[in-house]
Amino acid sequence: MKKTAIILGATGLTGHVLLEKLLKDDRYETIKLFSRTKIEGLPNKVKQFIGNLLELDQFKADFTADEVYCCIGTTAKKTPNKTLYKQIDYGIPVTAAKLSKENNIPTFLVVSAMGANKKSSVFYNKTKGEMEHDVLQQNIKHTFILKCLR
């Protein structure tokens, strides 16, 4: 049976590399991208949903798949406002995990960071640690938190 994957963050570095890999993988019949901007020139097996990812709930009816890959993230340079930064790095992945749970998506993968710790005094590490904790609270059957160890 062919699979459907959702990618959040396909316009970023990690998400773009993942998209290229899934496009070449015959196991995937459909790839759904949720993004603020459209990517031109993609094959028909890619369906794009364009909108404000801070309001990801608006996509609930279309948020159906076998796997969700959450590659969302920003930088302090791009997003110096800590409130907005947290809405992106914490809010989007946690909302995506909640939608995955509600829509019975059995596999959720999210990119985090080395040093993530919800008790950290460092804002970035604390944000990532809180995100990991709240994603795991969804009890999705197959949850993977990906971190670079270097």
Side-chain angles (χ1 to χ4, degrees):
M1 186 168 115
K2 298 276 187 168
K3 296 196 281 185
T4 296
I6 288 174
I7 302 176
L8 296 157
T11 58
L13 178 62
T14 303
H16 179 73
V17 171
L18 172 63
L19 174 59
E20 293 298 318
K21 299 241 181 238
L22 294 185
L23 285 172
K24 294 175 185 171
D25 191 327
D26 291 335
R27 292 174 295 175
Y28 294 88
E29 179 176 47
T30 305
I31 302 167
K32 295 180 176 182
L33 306 182
F34 291 84
S35 180
R36 289 180 298 147
T37 56
K38 186 174 183 179
I39 301 173
E40 298 297 334
L42 294 175
N44 290 335
K45 80 180 199 175
V46 177
K47 309 297 179 215
Q48 297 190 66
F49 301 88
I50 309 303
N52 183 354
L53 296 187
L54 297 176
E55 299 172 3
L56 195 56
D57 287 329
Q58 69 182 317
F59 297 111
K60 183 176 180 175
D62 296 308
F63 207 88
T64 57
D66 300 293
E67 304 166 350
V68 173
Y69 296 88
C70 187
C71 306
I72 287 290
T74 190
T75 64
K77 185 176 179 181
K78 279 186 181 177
T79 313
N81 179 304
K82 287 186 175 184
T83 300
L84 180 57
Y85 188 102
K86 189 163 184 173
Q87 288 174 339
I88 295 168
D89 272 39
Y90 168 87
I92 295 172
V94 171
T95 300
K98 288 177 180 178
L99 286 174
S100 296
K101 181 69 172 183
E102 289 172 17
N103 289 346
N104 298 310
I105 300 171
T107 303
F108 186 85
L109 300 94
V110 63
V111 176
S112 186
M114 183 173 67
N117 181 340
K118 71 178 185 166
K119 295 181 180 178
S120 177
S121 61
V122 176
F123 176 76
Y124 178 79
N125 292 345
K126 182 178 177 109
T127 300
K128 290 295 190 179
E130 290 171 344
M131 177 273 294
E132 289 180 6
H133 176 268
D134 290 351
V135 163
L136 289 171
Q137 291 297 106
Q138 300 311 307
N139 293 314
I140 298 167
K141 185 174 183 179
H142 305 288
T143 301
F144 299 91
I145 296 174
L146 310 172
K147 300 180 187 190
C148 180
L149 297 178
R150 290 192 207 198

